[in-house]
Amino acid sequence: MRGKRTATGAALAAGALAVTGLAFAPTAAAVTPQSATITASCGIFGGGSATLTATQSGTSATITLTSSAITAPVAVAQDSISSTLTLARAGGGSVVFSGTKNPAMNTGDAVSVGPLPGTVASGDSLDAYGGSLKMVIFGVTVTCTASGPQAPGPFVFD
């Protein structure tokens, strides 16, 4: 009987510690809004509406850009586009998201790049307007810029 009480006491103590740990655990970081739209111009390569989708985990964040209005000028293999997305920081400066993540695309397919990783600080307010997206495809640089602020507003990171 004494062994049962010790085991029960140990289980209750472990449960109490687990609950206490949950109460003091850091909350998951969040970015708002999670997606925004822009109108972008990519020069001779086209332009139109694009959607930016953001995620955040601590100081690490990713941005994915997709657009059915902006199309691939040539067929490209998966993870072959070197992309650099620069977002303007409210109050000055910028944050860069870069990488070589993209799905395979045929000529004329909707453009999609990302998730592109970057580092953010708590309270960062970032907008595509004032920044740019540079994609290097087979040695050709395609630069896209937003013609106005993103909607519904800038990404604000926790």
Side-chain angles (χ1 to χ4, degrees), residues 11 17 20 22 30 43 65 69 75 81 92 96 128 145 151-152:
L17 283 174
T20 302
L22 287 174
L65 179 137
I81 300 174
V96 175
T145 56

Side-chain angles (χ1 to χ4, degrees), residues 102-157:
N102 64 275
M105 293 175 267
N106 292 315
T107 302
D109 281 356
V111 166
S112 180
V113 294
L116 303 173
T119 302
V120 295
S122 180
D124 270 352
S125 178
L126 306 177
D127 198 310
Y129 187 54
S132 67
L133 171 65
K134 291 184 182 179
M135 299 175 283
V136 179
I137 307 166
F138 302 121
V140 176
T141 300
V142 177
T143 301
C144 302
T145 56
S147 59
Q150 62 191 46
F155 294 120
V156 178
F157 295 87

Side-chain angles (χ1 to χ4, degrees), residues 21-22 24-28:
L22 287 174
F24 291 108
T27 58

Side-chain angles (χ1 to χ4, degrees), residues 1-19:
M1 188 70 157
R2 184 175 179 185
K4 277 187 174 181
R5 275 190 262 155
T6 302
T8 301
L12 287 173
L17 283 174
V19 169

Side-chain angles (χ1 to χ4, degrees), residues 12-157:
L12 287 173
L17 283 174
V19 169
T20 302
L22 287 174
F24 291 108
T27 58
V31 56
T32 54
Q34 291 181 332
S35 71
T37 58
I38 60 169
T39 299
S41 173
C42 301
I44 64 170
F45 299 102
S49 180
T51 301
L52 298 166
T53 305
T55 64
Q56 179 185 6
S57 178
T59 60
S60 298
T62 63
I63 305 281
T64 301
L65 179 137
T66 56
S67 175
S68 57
I70 304 166
T71 58
V74 295
V76 294
Q78 180 177 346
D79 300 336
S80 64
I81 300 174
S82 177
S83 302
T84 303
L85 175 65
T86 304
L87 298 180
R89 179 183 282 136
S94 61
V95 175
V96 175
F97 297 83
S98 62
T100 54
K101 298 299 275 181
N102 64 275
M105 293 175 267
N106 292 315
T107 302
D109 281 356
V111 166
S112 180
V113 294
L116 303 173
T119 302
V120 295
S122 180
D124 270 352
S125 178
L126 306 177
D127 198 310
Y129 187 54
S132 67
L133 171 65
K134 291 184 182 179
M135 299 175 283
V136 179
I137 307 166
F138 302 121
V140 176
T141 300
V142 177
T143 301
C144 302
T145 56
S147 59
Q150 62 191 46
F155 294 120
V156 178
F157 295 87

